[in-house]
Structure formats: C-alpha cells, structure tokens
Amino acid sequence: MTSSAPLPPTGRARSAGPSTTAPRTADGSTAGSPTAGAGAPRSAAAGSRAGRRSVTAAVCACVLVAQSLVAAMNLAIPKIAASALHPTPSQLLWIVDTYVLVFAGLLIPAGALGDRYGRKGILLTGLGVFGAGALLSALAPGLPILLVARAVSGAGAALLVPATMSVLLHATPPEQKASAVAAWSAALAVGGMAGNAGGALILQYLPWQGLFWGYVPLALVLFGWVARSAPRVPRQTATLDLPGSALLVLASAALLFGIIEGPALGWASPPVVAAFALALALFAGFVRHGLRAAHPVLDPRLFRLPRLRGGSIGIAVAFFGLFALFYVNAQFLQYVKGYSPLQTGFAIVPMALGMMAVTRYGMSLARRIGEATTAGVGLALIAAGLLLLSTADAGTPYALYLTFLLVLSTGAGLAMPTLSHAVVASVPAHRSGMGSGLQGAARELGASLGIAVVGTVLSVRFASGTGHGAGTAGAFTDAAAFGYRMAAGVVLVAGAVVMSALRAGAHPTGAGPATPPPQPPGARSAASSEAGTRRT
C-alpha cells in the first residue's frame, strides 16, 4: 500500500532512615550485603568484556528506539493528514512535537528520579511507559487521545534516556568511558535515520497506526534485554524538584504554542502574544526558582561553566538542524520528487552510515585539535549541508542530493560526541543522571524547536507561494529552500557562540572543568553527607 501524495504543510520509595542494625549505603542496601553501595562487586554482566558489550548494545538500542520515533513520525504526516482524523496543519505539528516536548521537559527531572530510586529500575519503567504510549497511539480513536498517547510515550522516553547513560558509565572501565559516550551519542544521532528507514518499511504497506504497533514489540524486547544484562547502579541522594520541573515543561509548551499557532491565529493575536509572554515569565521563574532552591532540578549556576554552557547550546543547535532536515526531507522527497514512503525512508539511510563512520573519530580528533575546533567544524558542516540542500529541486539527481546529506552527517558525527562529552565531564560524577538529563533536554528542545520553527516557515512560505500563482510543487520547493537557509543561519550564529564557550572552558588535560561546578545552598552539606554514607 502506498501513501497518497503528502499534503504541504501550512501554517518504588526508599527508607526514610538507616537500619538500626546496620548502616545503609547510598543505594539503600545494608552495608556488607551483596548489593551494598559503590564498593560492591559489579554484576557479571558489568564485569566481563562480553557483558559490557551487551550492556552497551542494550542501552544504545534503547536510546536509538526512543529517538527514532521523532523522525518516523515525519514520514507518517501525509497518511495522518489524509486520514479520518482530518488534522489541521498546526495539529499535524502538535502530533509530531507533543512527544518531543514532553521528552525534553521531563529529561532533567527523570535523571534525578534515576539518581534517587535507581537507574536500572527507572530505565525499565521508562521502557514500559514508552511501550504503553505506543499501544495507546495505535488504538487512538481521535486526535485528543492520540496527543495524550504521544505525551505518554514522550514521558517514557524521558525516563529511559538519562538512565541509559548512568548505567553505561557504571558498567564501563574509566579508560573506555570516552568511547562509550561516543557510542551512546552515535546511537542518538543515528536514531533519526533508523526511524526513517524503519518507518518507511511500515508505512509503505500499513496505515499510520502500523507505525505505533511496530514500537510495542520493540519496547518488550528491550525490556527483557535490559532486565537480563544491565547492572544495578548504586543510588545517590537526590531531591526531586517538582515545582522546577513543572515550570520548565510549561515554559517550553508556551513557547512552542506561540511558534506553531502563530501563522493560523496571527503573530499579533492575543493568544500568541500571551503565549510568548507567558513563556518568558515562566523561564524567568524557572531561573529564579533554581537560584533559590536548595536542590533545583537544574541549577542555573552550572551554566557559569563554559564547557557545559557551550556543550548544551551546541547539542541543541545541532539537533535543531538535524530535525529541521528530517521534517522537510520526508515531505520534499514525497511531494516534490514523487518518492514512495519506502524510497523516502531509505534515501536517507546512507546518512546514518556516514555519521557512524565519522563518530568514532570525533573524540580522538577533539583530543588532538581541541573541543572548540572539532565542534565548530562539525556545526559548520551541518550548516553547509543545509545550505546545499536548499539548492535541491525536482530535477536534482539523487547522487547529488545524497552528497549534500553526507556533508551534514559528517558534521553531526564530528560535533555530537564532542559536545556530549563536554557536558558529561562538566558535572560531578554523583550527578551523572542530571548531566545526562541536561544534554538530553538540550537535544530534544533543539529538535522540537527545529520542527516547530521550520514547520512554521514552510507553512507561511508555501501559502505565500501558492497565493502568487506558483504551482504546488514549485511553491513547496521554494518554501523548503527558505526553511533550510533559515536553519543554516541559526546553526552558524549559535556555532560561533559554542566555539567561544568551549575555548573559554578549555582544560589542559581535557579531563574536566577547570573549576568545580557551583552548588546551590545546602548542596555542600548534602554532598558531604552522601560521601560519608558511601564511606560507611
């Protein structure tokens, strides 16, 4: 079954105190027991080379699957648009972005949940919630239920992704951690391409619901694999910041509402102006709360660390460019080039191969020429790829189009491991869940903004082109080119900021931040207490 021609876009809780018979370690177990604390022997899975490989493969598969659902949805847009749901252009954007928004907004608090209640348990919980959301999406009778289901899947993805990094780092010897981070980063980046290929196979022959049915058995298989192979990671003392988490999610939602609904409601309309004002107020409230809270979900002081600041911005802007590509590419190839869903999905697969080939050299290159230069070159190549893609039209040969894609994938392969390592290496080891959540939030916020902004540009530009008498294919080509050029400009400007921050935070050994990360009031005493608990 082939799709109809795609429509152009428009507009578990811990004990409260120690045992009276034996002290407890940071993970809640009794000292001296087989599972006690950081001094306990690791599981066989974590101790053997084969076991470590299984853990690495399992957690990389988890993040790949979670990330792939974002890109796969882009391929489903034409079928959803032509379905009985009859979504408006802005509703189509919400169907794609609801998952990414909840994913991004909950990543940092989800990292704190893993620090407090156990990373493996949270990882398994996330897989279960993710699968449940996919099942509900497949069964959704209407648009409201589909949007709720997409939010459920996003919450599951937010739970599992930061836990995967913590489990991976616990199971990896110190000398191999940089390589492990690179593999994890590659899985995230390749997830987009895997979503395109897997989604293409499904959507070529099945209706859009089949896409979600495909993720249900994937979640079940990954649940069994992680339960069998992943080690348990010692718990850390962590306080959940529900107000801060709520402020972050609501601020992000208000911002995306303004971007997505602007064309339909009018940029100067009261709802859109109010949404942008609310987003600004909520983000300001989030920063104010983080500066005053003893245990904020994200301490704004951390952004005084140049490496962390540069890495976070760089990750966000790299995924802004990548997902601008994924959103436009899926529709351009079907609508302008006349490709089927299967052809569209597999047309981008070589990009994943190119990214994997380059990623393995990203960290070694950063050690030789520096993080700032490596990340800067990578981001510049992403922008160059977008600019080259803006020249494509109906007559562009696939070999030339693929060359443009490979330029962009080379940039992503260079930049992503370097930027991810800069963030992870800038936070204390006992807050690895938070560090993973931070870069994950930057990644998903960048992706959601890329989809929303470029989707909005396509909507406005396409309407303008058809309004001036241009044919639909020509109007869409012009709109796609304008969207690509706008995204490339964002990547170039932000890339200069990223390079400046990484140079300012450069450390002679490359092993960590030049100064210890700032801590909120009460954090020092909490960290000292935790260290004493681990020594016990």
Side-chain angles (χ1 to χ4, degrees):
M1 175 180 178
T2 58
S3 69
S4 58
L7 299 181
T10 60
R12 186 166 91 161
R14 293 171 54 205
S15 171
S19 166
T20 57
T21 57
R24 291 187 178 271
T25 62
D27 66 343
S29 58
T30 303
S33 70
T35 59
R42 290 180 180 172
S43 66
S48 69
R49 178 177 295 181
R52 289 196 301 270
R53 288 177 176 172
S54 181
V55 173
T56 301
V59 299
C60 287
C62 287
V63 296
L64 187 151
V65 166
Q67 196 69 38
S68 71
L69 186 52
V70 184
M73 276 305 299
N74 294 320
L75 284 169
I77 288 175
K79 287 194 173 184
I80 295 176
S83 71
L85 295 176
H86 301 299
T88 65
S90 63
Q91 288 171 338
L92 280 172
L93 281 172
W94 280 116
I95 292 171
V96 178
D97 251 350
T98 296
Y99 173 85
V100 192
L101 172 63
V102 176
F103 192 176
L106 296 184
L107 269 169
I108 298 176
L113 278 173
D115 289 340
R116 181 172 182 177
Y117 295 112
R119 282 68 173 257
K120 181 175 181 179
I122 291 297
L123 172 51
L124 292 173
T125 301
L127 285 168
V129 174
F130 178 85
L135 179 61
L136 183 59
S137 296
L139 298 173
L143 185 61
I145 301 300
L146 178 57
L147 293 175
V148 170
R150 292 284 288 159
V152 171
S153 286
L159 288 172
L160 72 90
V161 167
T164 58
M165 174 64 85
S166 297
V167 169
L168 180 61
L169 292 177
H170 178 73
T172 304
E175 67 275 9
Q176 297 179 13
K177 289 188 187 296
S179 297
V181 171
W184 187 89
S185 301
L188 281 167
V190 172
M193 277 65 76
N196 275 279
L201 282 171
I202 294 171
L203 292 166
Q204 179 70 21
Y205 305 106
L206 297 174
W208 64 267
Q209 292 91 338
L211 179 66
F212 298 107
W213 283 116
Y215 278 89
V216 177
L218 276 175
L220 292 174
V221 169
L222 289 173
F223 188 97
W225 190 1
V226 170
R228 183 182 70 253
S229 65
R232 290 199 174 274
V233 184
R235 302 177 189 176
Q236 305 290 347
T237 300
T239 301
L240 300 180
D241 179 17
L242 296 180
S245 302
L247 285 168
L248 180 60
V249 174
L250 292 174
S252 302
L255 177 61
L256 288 183
F257 178 90
I259 294 172
I260 292 173
E261 299 294 340
L265 300 178
W267 294 106
S269 65
V272 173
V273 172
F276 286 129
L278 180 61
L280 182 62
L282 289 171
F283 277 123
F286 175 76
V287 172
R288 185 172 183 270
H289 170 81
L291 292 172
R292 296 188 172 196
H295 303 284
V297 63
L298 175 60
D299 186 3
R301 298 172 188 84
L302 284 172
F303 287 95
R304 296 175 183 169
L305 299 176
R307 286 180 74 199
L308 183 142
R309 183 172 65 250
S312 300
I313 296 172
I315 290 170
V317 74
F319 273 78
F320 179 98
L322 279 172
F323 280 84
L325 163 69
F326 295 150
Y327 186 82
V328 177
N329 175 76
Q331 297 178 75
F332 176 84
L333 291 182
Q334 293 181 79
Y335 188 71
V336 176
K337 301 285 287 181
Y339 285 16
S340 68
L342 189 63
Q343 290 174 308
T344 298
F346 278 88
I348 205 171
V349 167
M351 184 179 176
L353 302 178
M355 191 178 300
M356 287 187 292
V358 175
T359 295
R360 60 185 297 181
Y361 302 110
M363 290 301 299
S364 59
L365 183 63
R367 285 191 290 268
R368 291 199 300 270
I369 68 174
E371 285 181 336
T373 302
T374 303
V377 169
L379 292 173
L381 286 173
I382 292 175
L386 292 168
L387 289 172
L388 289 170
L389 286 165
S390 73
T391 67
D393 55 25
T396 302
Y398 172 70
L400 182 59
Y401 191 83
L402 177 59
T403 302
F404 300 161
L405 293 176
L406 290 177
V407 171
L408 193 151
S409 69
T410 299
L414 287 176
M416 291 312 302
T418 306
L419 295 166
S420 295
H421 186 260
V423 174
V424 172
S426 297
V427 298
H430 70 282
R431 297 302 305 276
S432 62
M434 186 276 292
S436 175
L438 172 58
Q439 66 166 309
R443 182 181 63 249
E444 300 309 324
L445 281 172
S448 63
L449 285 171
I451 294 168
V453 171
V454 173
T456 300
V457 168
L458 282 173
S459 169
V460 174
R461 191 76 173 191
F462 179 82
S464 175
T466 54
H468 287 82
T472 54
F476 187 88
T477 300
D478 175 72
F482 185 80
Y484 279 139
R485 289 194 294 267
M486 182 275 303
V490 172
V491 174
L492 284 173
V493 172
V497 175
V498 171
M499 289 187 66
S500 175
L502 291 179
R503 285 198 179 104
H507 190 264
T509 65
T515 56
Q519 296 176 311
R524 297 182 187 275
S525 60
S528 300
S529 174
E530 180 184 324
T533 303
R534 289 200 298 270
R535 287 195 296 272
T536 302

